[in-house]
Amino acid sequence: DGPEAQAMDQALAQLRSDAAADPQATADQLAVDFADIYLTHALRASPYESVWRDEDHLVMQGPTFEVRQFYREHGVVVTDRHTMPDDHLAHQLEFIARLLDQGQAAAAAKFMDAHLMLWLPDFATRVAARAATPVYALLALLTLRACQNLRAQLPAAPAAAA
């Protein structure tokens, strides 16, 4: 229950009202915003870690392969990596959830520190500033807040072996 959650409640209420008045226009607006964020990258807010962390801002660079190796070490293989590379936000969130379900809080913390939390704040901030719909803007901020809160509850990540 923070300001983002309250704002999301208001945005969803407005969305319900808009959808009741003009369902097709509301659906179209949400579809365009989704595409701008996740498909066409029109907002220049890529959901791929490598774009944020590679000096040339390219997809499928070093961070993608680092994430893939981390997944492999934990028995995870992304099956659709040719259409949605391993370092996509959705894959990273799913991986963290899997680690937590398996009782691997230290590994989740290590992954968050080495990957997700290095770029998610920039992604969420940019989406929040540029999204056309309040729902997607707030969803980005709520995702960031949830990840920050989760990370704060996890143990310190183990130090790397020397």
Side-chain angles (χ1 to χ4, degrees):
D1 280 343
E4 295 94 352
Q6 292 173 0
M8 181 60 97
D9 287 343
Q10 293 171 351
L12 290 172
Q14 184 62 52
L15 184 64
R16 282 189 294 279
S17 175
D18 293 347
D22 191 345
Q24 189 60 53
T26 303
D28 289 348
Q29 186 180 33
L30 289 171
V32 167
D33 215 18
F34 178 88
D36 285 350
I37 298 165
Y38 296 104
L39 303 176
T40 67
H41 309 294
L43 301 186
R44 302 195 48 81
S46 177
Y48 300 100
E49 176 181 345
S50 58
V51 173
W52 294 97
R53 296 192 52 222
D54 176 71
E55 78 177 43
D56 295 321
H57 307 288
L58 300 174
V59 176
M60 294 288 296
Q61 298 304 302
T64 304
F65 302 105
E66 293 167 15
V67 165
R68 183 176 296 162
Q69 181 59 35
F70 206 109
Y71 293 169
R72 195 173 291 134
E73 290 169 6
H74 294 275
V76 173
V77 174
V78 173
T79 57
D80 67 342
R81 69 180 185 225
H82 299 293
T83 55
M84 194 164 85
D86 306 66
D87 63 339
H88 189 280
L89 175 60
H91 289 315
Q92 291 195 20
L93 294 173
E94 182 179 9
F95 179 65
I96 292 165
R98 179 185 178 126
L99 290 174
L100 294 172
D101 284 346
Q102 295 173 346
Q104 297 183 50
K110 182 178 178 182
F111 182 80
M112 291 181 83
D113 291 349
H115 294 286
L116 184 65
M117 298 313 294
L118 296 179
W119 66 276
L120 181 60
D122 292 331
F123 169 78
T125 301
R126 187 164 298 171
V127 169
R130 297 180 179 182
T133 59
V135 169
Y136 278 112
L138 291 162
L139 182 59
L141 293 176
L142 285 168
T143 300
L144 174 59
R145 179 63 51 106
C147 289
Q148 289 170 328
N149 289 344
L150 171 62
R151 182 59 194 95
Q153 294 177 28
L154 294 174

